[in-house]
Amino acid sequence: MKRSVLHLHLHLCAAILLLSTVGCSQFDGYLEVVKGKGLSDEYQTVLARWTRSQTIYSEFETKALITATYESPEFSRAYLKEYSRVYHLRDEEVKKRAEATREKSSDARGFVFYAYIPEKKSNDFDKQGSLWTVFLANEKGERIDPVELRRIEPLSPMITEFFPYVNPYYGIAYRVRFPVTDPAGPDWGKMRLFFAGVIGEVRLDFDGQ
């Protein structure tokens, strides 16, 4: 691995490790990573709570690093509040956005995820015939396939600033949505997000409540 790529990877790994850990001291470290980006402490706390990350290694080299944020009801509220604060939205605009978010999340569960893969051709999650399979498993172990998986383009400041682990120069950001098969049932509980392929497998655990 070239020195510049290795340096970037170490930086990303440090940031993501801190972000995905819930301990206070680790989270303090994450705050230092994103310091100066203008995000409130409240938003950063909620972002860290709903973000997970995992790296696939092979003989001490990184094969893939995937970080995902579950757009839970709590996260969606925090995001809207932060967005409204940053852009000074009027009350009526906030209400419209809140209603649109509720409607969108009533029948689907969404994640934003970022993938850094040194072999860039393998970063093809949104392509037909992709090297990767992405799915969700609920508490019963039932597999739920996505209804939408798309690359986020262009990567505006609303992504790179509100999801500071996204680095557009080295990886790709995606949005994936899964159907809610039973809003009152077990697939709203604990769930595991899978990214599986020939390179390896990433499993990210979330609590849907």
Side-chain angles (χ1 to χ4, degrees):
M1 184 180 292
K2 293 182 179 180
R3 180 174 298 178
S4 60
V5 176
L6 177 60
H7 181 268
L8 165 74
H9 171 63
L10 292 174
H11 176 75
L12 282 174
C13 285
I16 298 307
L17 177 61
L18 293 167
L19 182 149
S20 60
T21 307
V22 297
C24 293
S25 60
Q26 289 88 345
F27 185 69
D28 289 341
Y30 168 65
L31 291 178
E32 290 301 317
V33 172
V34 299
K35 185 177 181 180
K37 287 185 174 289
L39 299 175
S40 69
D41 290 351
E42 180 182 0
Y43 173 76
Q44 291 178 74
T45 299
V46 177
L47 173 65
R49 183 177 300 142
W50 294 104
T51 299
R52 306 288 184 272
S53 184
Q54 186 177 331
T55 303
I56 299 173
Y57 294 103
S58 177
E59 297 181 352
F60 304 106
E61 289 198 1
T62 297
K63 305 298 288 185
L65 185 155
I66 298 177
T67 304
T69 299
Y70 169 42
E71 296 177 303
S72 68
E74 182 193 27
F75 174 81
S76 297
R77 289 190 298 269
Y79 179 89
L80 177 58
K81 183 177 180 180
E82 187 73 352
Y83 184 91
S84 302
R85 181 188 70 82
V86 171
Y87 289 97
H88 299 279
L89 297 188
R90 296 184 178 91
D91 290 342
E92 56 268 26
E93 293 176 307
V94 176
K95 290 179 181 179
K96 287 181 180 179
R97 287 181 174 272
E99 181 61 30
T101 298
R102 282 193 294 269
E103 291 180 1
K104 189 175 181 180
S105 62
S106 63
D107 61 352
R109 169 182 293 109
F111 296 81
V112 170
F113 74 91
Y114 170 78
Y116 163 67
I117 303 175
E119 180 54 56
K120 293 185 178 181
K121 291 182 179 179
S122 299
N123 203 339
D124 65 347
F125 293 86
D126 60 327
K127 303 297 184 182
Q128 187 173 11
S130 170
L131 294 174
W132 300 89
T133 298
V134 181
F135 63 95
L136 198 65
N138 62 19
E139 283 185 321
K140 291 183 175 181
E142 298 168 332
R143 171 171 167 161
I144 304 171
D145 292 315
V147 292
E148 177 187 23
L149 200 171
R150 63 179 177 84
R151 188 175 302 205
I152 301 176
E153 291 181 324
L155 276 177
S156 69
M158 283 190 291
I159 295 297
T160 58
E161 295 297 317
F162 285 87
F163 300 89
Y165 53 80
V166 172
N167 187 323
Y169 300 105
Y170 294 95
I172 298 173
Y174 300 87
R175 176 165 272 112
V176 60
R177 300 175 73 236
F178 299 91
V180 175
T181 58
D182 182 5
D187 75 346
W188 276 101
K190 295 184 184 300
M191 54 191 171
R192 176 171 288 173
L193 181 59
F194 283 86
F195 302 87
V198 294
I199 291 176
E201 183 173 284
V202 167
R203 304 178 182 185
L204 304 178
D205 293 328
F206 295 87
D207 188 338
Q209 301 300 328

